[in-house]
Amino acid sequence: MQQQIAVITLGIAELERSKHFYCTGFGWQPVFENHEIVFYQMNGLVLGTWLKNALDADTGRASQPAGAFALAHNVARQADVEPLMQQLLAAGGQLLRAALAPPHGGYCGYVADPDGHAWEIAWNPAWAIDAEGRVTFSL
Amino acid sequence: MQQQIAVITLGIAELERSKHFYCTGFGWQPVFENHEIVFYQMNGLVLGTWLKNALDADTGRASQPAGAFALAHNVARQADVEPLMQQLLAAGGQLLRAALAPPHGGYCGYVADPDGHAWEIAWNPAWAIDAEGRVTFSL
């Protein structure tokens, strides 16, 4: 069985507010959008942002906005963490935890997107990132 | 800015129960584990399963188990969807929605992992999956 995740779909309340965060905060470009969903082509998988009512109908349950999960975007240099966090806050994000240097190394903080989904912005010098954004675990 | 997600971290209640689901249900192998977290190397990103209390402490908020998001694992053939869903249910998953053929094409259903995180098991003939599991958006 492939160790493969094809899509991460986040439930959102408003398309435009979410798109502003991802396009202006992260600077990403959609690969597709319509009246209820925006897709972004990522590093070997697809990120979808879909109206929460539609996602709930599709999965068959009522979900909670701030779920027990976090996504991470890794940057190449420690000095990149705080400017990106500031850019995300300026684009409608909410600060969850200021950046700090955890005991196991690196430097990272958390910003929630406008729908409450947690994004860790991390510098992790041990984990290689290739030119296409693919990330490899290492100790 | 790279369109890149480095890690998806899921909050879990018990390591062994979660590991049974991912290792026996999906057949995946951890790349690292200790007393509070298990990491899996995926298709250009890393999946982490981390005790929810530790994740909540790290993100700085109390999260809800069944968050407004879904992960998808795509399979190569329509006939692969139901056997994998059955295997996930046998490994401690919970059926959210039986597999069906949606109007936009393909074939897919949803199973929650033992901590309530939704996984869509999908056959989507339009989206290419390469030998390393990397998935490309297409209409």
Side-chain angles (χ1 to χ4, degrees):
Chain A
M1 186 81 59
Q2 276 187 334
Q3 302 212 176
Q4 170 249 97
I5 296 169
V7 192
I8 302 170
T9 304
L10 303 176
I12 60 169
E14 295 170 31
L15 276 184
E16 286 307 319
R17 183 181 69 167
S18 172
K19 204 176 135 189
H20 179 69
F21 179 81
Y22 288 99
C23 296
T24 305
F26 277 113
W28 296 342
Q29 296 297 319
V31 67
F32 174 83
E33 56 189 296
N34 67 18
H35 64 285
E36 62 175 12
I37 198 163
V38 181
F39 283 116
Y40 304 85
Q41 176 67 49
M42 307 301 292
N43 47 317
L45 76 165
V46 175
L47 173 66
T49 53
W50 197 12
L51 292 179
K52 181 179 178 301
N53 289 349
L55 176 63
D56 282 5
D58 201 49
T59 55
R61 67 174 179 186
S63 61
Q64 300 296 323
F69 76 104
L71 304 171
H73 176 84
N74 283 13
V75 294
R77 302 175 312 150
Q78 177 166 359
D80 295 334
V81 171
E82 272 155 358
L84 176 53
M85 289 179 69
Q86 289 304 320
Q87 197 169 299
L88 294 173
L89 298 177
Q94 186 185 346
L95 184 66
L96 292 178
R97 200 203 69 201
L100 53 76
H104 54 272
Y107 192 69
C108 52
Y110 284 96
V111 174
D113 83 358
D115 293 281
H117 303 300
W119 279 90
E120 183 181 26
I121 306 303
W123 170 66
N124 179 343
W127 291 19
I129 308 173
D130 76 11
E132 297 183 65
R134 298 187 296 249
V135 174
T136 303
F137 181 91
S138 178
L139 290 178
Chain B
M1 185 84 57
Q2 276 187 331
Q3 303 211 176
Q4 171 251 97
I5 296 170
V7 192
I8 303 170
T9 304
L10 303 177
I12 60 170
E14 296 170 32
L15 275 186
E16 286 306 318
R17 183 180 70 167
S18 171
K19 205 176 136 189
H20 179 69
F21 179 82
Y22 289 99
C23 295
T24 305
F26 277 114
W28 296 342
Q29 298 296 320
V31 67
F32 174 83
E33 54 188 297
N34 67 18
H35 64 286
E36 63 174 12
I37 199 163
V38 180
F39 282 117
Y40 303 86
Q41 175 67 50
M42 306 301 291
N43 47 315
L45 76 165
V46 174
L47 173 66
T49 53
W50 196 13
L51 292 179
K52 181 179 177 304
N53 289 349
L55 177 64
D56 282 4
D58 202 49
T59 54
R61 67 173 178 186
S63 61
Q64 300 297 320
F69 76 105
L71 304 171
H73 175 83
N74 282 14
V75 294
R77 300 175 313 150
Q78 177 166 359
D80 296 335
V81 171
E82 271 155 359
L84 176 54
M85 289 179 70
Q86 289 303 321
Q87 195 170 299
L88 294 173
L89 298 177
Q94 187 186 345
L95 184 66
L96 291 178
R97 201 204 68 202
L100 53 75
H104 54 273
Y107 192 69
C108 52
Y110 284 97
V111 173
D113 84 358
D115 293 281
H117 303 300
W119 279 89
E120 183 180 27
I121 306 302
W123 169 66
N124 179 343
W127 291 18
I129 308 174
D130 76 11
E132 299 184 61
R134 297 186 296 249
V135 174
T136 303
F137 181 91
S138 179
L139 290 180

